[in-house]
Amino acid sequence: MSPEELWQLFPILLTEYKPYWKEWYNEEENILKNTLVQVERISHIGSTAISFIRAKPIIDILVEIPKECDLAYYKDLIEKIGYICMAQNADRYSFNKGYTENGFAEKVFHLHLRYVGDNDELYFRDYLIENPDIASEYEKIKLKLWKEYEHNRDGYTQAKTEFVQMHTEKAKLLYADRY
């Protein structure tokens, strides 16, 4: 399928926070802990980790591994538990789970495999949780962009990038070496 066909099948959808998202994350975290070795940290990231803003109903998970580990080894383990590798480079792998031929499954996950310390999303998440006014501003941006980019995930993400980067940098200064 072309990217355009995929975007039609898997549109952007924003919904109110669902308490079961945390349960879904916890279940998946347990599976990952039982599957992966030498993991530094597994974290719930993205808007589904923030209980007071709308989000795409996709659980984002960040898995950080030690720098001396081989990402390709972890790729094989992650694929064995149902994830599909969607993108990779020397330092990052991205996986999806819950995408079917007919659209989204009930539970959908994006897993980001990285080396320890490549975790800006943790700072952004914490900053939004601790600054509800900024989180509300972020939600408004997402709602404004939603329909314009409903079938263009890359455009949607790019349109939010400046806001995300600006507040991530503020968070990293504020929280210093939290992670």
Side-chain angles (χ1 to χ4, degrees):
M1 291 182 129
S2 71
E4 292 76 22
E5 291 170 319
L6 286 171
W7 290 336
Q8 290 297 318
L9 188 58
F10 304 108
I12 291 170
L13 171 67
L14 295 177
T15 183
E16 296 285 336
Y17 176 81
K18 307 293 185 205
Y20 53 78
W21 289 341
K22 184 174 180 158
E23 295 167 22
W24 290 0
Y25 165 77
N26 289 333
E27 291 168 5
E28 202 67 15
E29 179 187 36
N30 286 331
I31 293 168
L32 291 164
K33 283 181 178 177
N34 290 323
T35 302
L36 305 177
V37 295
Q38 287 188 286
V39 171
E40 289 288 327
R41 181 177 22 249
I42 301 174
S43 305
H44 188 181
I45 59 172
S47 294
T48 60
I50 303 166
S51 65
F52 49 89
I53 65 172
R54 288 177 184 87
K56 294 186 305 291
I58 298 169
I59 309 302
D60 282 289
I61 300 171
L62 175 63
V63 176
E64 295 176 81
I65 63 172
K67 293 183 181 182
E68 64 273 8
C69 291
D70 179 20
L71 286 168
Y73 173 74
Y74 285 80
K75 175 187 177 190
D76 292 340
L77 295 173
I78 291 168
E79 288 178 333
K80 286 179 181 172
I81 58 171
Y83 283 88
I84 298 169
C85 186
M86 301 302 291
Q88 67 185 64
N89 64 35
D91 298 327
R92 293 177 163 197
Y93 283 43
S94 296
F95 301 85
N96 292 348
K97 184 177 181 182
Y99 288 71
T100 75
E101 295 173 355
N102 300 314
F104 293 116
E106 178 187 7
K107 297 179 184 178
V108 182
F109 300 93
H110 288 174
L111 188 148
H112 310 271
L113 177 64
R114 306 212 190 122
Y115 289 114
V116 68
D118 185 359
N119 55 18
D120 284 358
E121 293 87 350
L122 297 177
Y123 290 93
F124 185 65
R125 177 201 65 196
D126 291 356
Y127 194 74
L128 293 185
I129 289 170
E130 295 174 24
N131 294 277
D133 55 326
I134 302 297
S136 177
E137 186 179 341
Y138 182 56
E139 179 182 50
K140 287 175 187 168
I141 290 169
K142 291 174 16 161
L143 289 169
K144 179 179 176 268
L145 298 171
W146 175 15
K147 291 304 175 185
E148 179 180 353
Y149 293 102
E150 182 176 13
H151 299 286
N152 181 351
R153 192 172 297 267
D154 292 343
Y156 176 78
T157 299
Q158 184 61 37
K160 300 182 304 175
T161 297
E162 183 179 338
F163 180 92
V164 171
Q165 287 177 337
M166 177 179 65
H167 290 289
T168 299
E169 290 308 313
K170 288 179 182 179
K172 288 171 82 173
L173 289 172
L174 180 66
Y175 304 138
D177 295 324
R178 180 179 280 192
Y179 300 105

